[in-house]
Amino acid sequence: MDTETDEVFKALADPSRRRLLDSLNGRNGQTLRELCAGLDMARQSVSKHLALLEEARLVTTVRRGREKLHYLNAEPINAIADRWISRYDRARAHALADLKHALESSTMSATDPTAFVYTTYIRTTPEKLWQGLTDPAFTRRYWGLEFRTDWQPGSAMAWEGRGLTGTDPEQVVLECEPYRRLSYTWHTFTPEFAAAVGMDDETLAKISAEKRSKVTFAIEPQGETVKLTVVHDGFEPGSTVLEMIHDGWAALLSSLKTLLETGESLPEPTPQEG
């Protein structure tokens, strides 16, 4: 943990790297070419700075076709804040909290409002992480729900939790490569679900009118840890669902990480919007 923290502070100490983070904070999901165009820096310099930011886990990348898109990643700042923020003086605590907020909010930037991207590193194996994402015995503990499906592409998925079972022909598995990649469409928002989580009628009407989104989990072994990148996309600009799932995903993935790394029983899951 201390080595990881050192890498984060080292990455943030350089003004050029902070400018890159500022650029991504203004418009998330940029290619290397776009980042170079927006900054008075040589391509090679930008590449080197991005490599350090990726190494510090402040930036994560997602490939779409031939393009490599760069996104801010809030997980390292969350980890620092959770462990150290209470030990800082008030001014430093506020500064760190502001940075944490900026990184988190940037994952659904108003200039790139169609995706939520989050990367975390978990001290586990791809096999265990896959189990954590698909096995009801695990999902019950950190998510408070279960998935009923055979995990074959095209198969239907039933979402069970909060005393409800949600089914819909459009709730399906999209991709399934065990220990590497998993993708499925998001669940249907029903009056029963809204009542279970205390959602008002106006909000339910808004999110029910939005097109269905999807979530993708990319798993990459990295020595003794596994890199997990979550991309929740398919949203339209101004999506209410995207705004609502943002904090839920951060809490959910932190709980998954804790469960896989410690094996400890977690507190009863509170409803996570999504």
Side-chain angles (χ1 to χ4, degrees), residues 12-215:
L12 292 172
D14 186 274
S16 295
R17 289 193 282 276
R18 292 199 299 271
R19 287 174 61 198
L20 281 169
L21 293 177
D22 286 340
S23 179
L24 289 174
N25 190 41
R27 183 166 66 85
N28 220 354
Q30 294 188 59
T31 63
L32 174 60
R33 177 176 54 81
E34 290 171 327
L35 285 167
C36 292
L39 298 169
D40 186 20
M41 296 170 61
R43 183 184 182 91
Q44 185 176 10
S45 297
V46 173
S47 295
K48 288 181 178 179
H49 286 307
L50 285 173
L52 285 170
L53 289 169
E54 285 188 60
E55 186 177 344
R57 304 174 183 177
L58 288 165
V59 168
T60 191
T61 60
V62 175
R63 286 203 172 272
R64 292 186 181 172
R66 295 183 178 181
E67 292 187 325
K68 183 178 181 181
L69 305 182
H70 298 79
Y71 290 86
L72 282 172
N73 181 42
E75 194 271 343
I77 300 300
N78 281 330
I80 291 174
D82 289 344
R83 181 173 180 185
W84 297 109
I85 195 167
S86 62
R87 302 185 185 184
Y88 282 82
D89 60 42
R90 185 177 300 275
R92 290 183 180 180
H94 286 167
L96 187 56
D98 288 344
L99 177 58
K100 176 175 180 283
H101 175 74
L103 287 175
E104 289 178 335
S105 62
S106 69
T107 57
M108 56 174 190
S109 168
T111 53
D112 180 25
T114 61
F116 171 87
V117 180
Y118 195 96
T119 296
T120 187
Y121 292 76
I122 305 174
R123 191 175 297 276
T124 188
T125 65
E127 293 78 13
K128 270 291 188 185
L129 178 52
W130 185 265
Q131 190 176 13
L133 294 172
T134 60
D135 188 335
F138 279 82
T139 59
R140 276 197 304 268
R141 295 183 66 188
Y142 72 90
W143 203 331
L145 57 80
E146 303 175 10
F147 301 108
R148 297 299 178 187
T149 180
D150 60 10
W151 295 113
Q152 296 301 306
S155 291
M157 294 181 66
W159 294 52
E160 297 185 359
R162 308 181 183 94
L164 304 173
T165 298
T167 59
D168 189 286
E170 294 185 16
Q171 284 176 199
V172 296
V173 179
L174 299 174
E175 299 178 67
C176 186
E177 298 178 50
Y179 322 129
R180 294 185 58 194
R181 189 174 177 86
L182 179 67
S183 181
Y184 47 81
T185 56
W186 207 236
H187 69 79
T188 305
F189 299 104
T190 64
E192 293 77 14
F193 170 80
V197 299
M199 183 184 297
D200 60 65
D201 292 342
E202 182 180 354
T203 302
L204 176 61
K206 278 175 147 181
I207 63 177
S208 297
E210 293 186 16
K211 69 177 184 178
R212 190 180 301 271
S213 59
K214 65 181 176 68
V215 62

Side-chain angles (χ1 to χ4, degrees), residues 74 78 82 97 100-108 115-118 142-143 186 230 232 235 239-256 270-274:
N78 281 330
D82 289 344
K100 176 175 180 283
H101 175 74
L103 287 175
E104 289 178 335
S105 62
S106 69
T107 57
M108 56 174 190
F116 171 87
V117 180
Y118 195 96
Y142 72 90
W143 203 331
W186 207 236
V230 178
H232 194 158
F235 299 101
S239 167
T240 299
V241 177
L242 176 57
E243 182 179 353
M244 295 173 75
I245 57 92
H246 178 261
D247 288 337
W249 269 126
L252 201 66
L253 295 170
S254 293
S255 294
L256 172 61
T270 54
Q272 300 294 335
E273 175 51 48

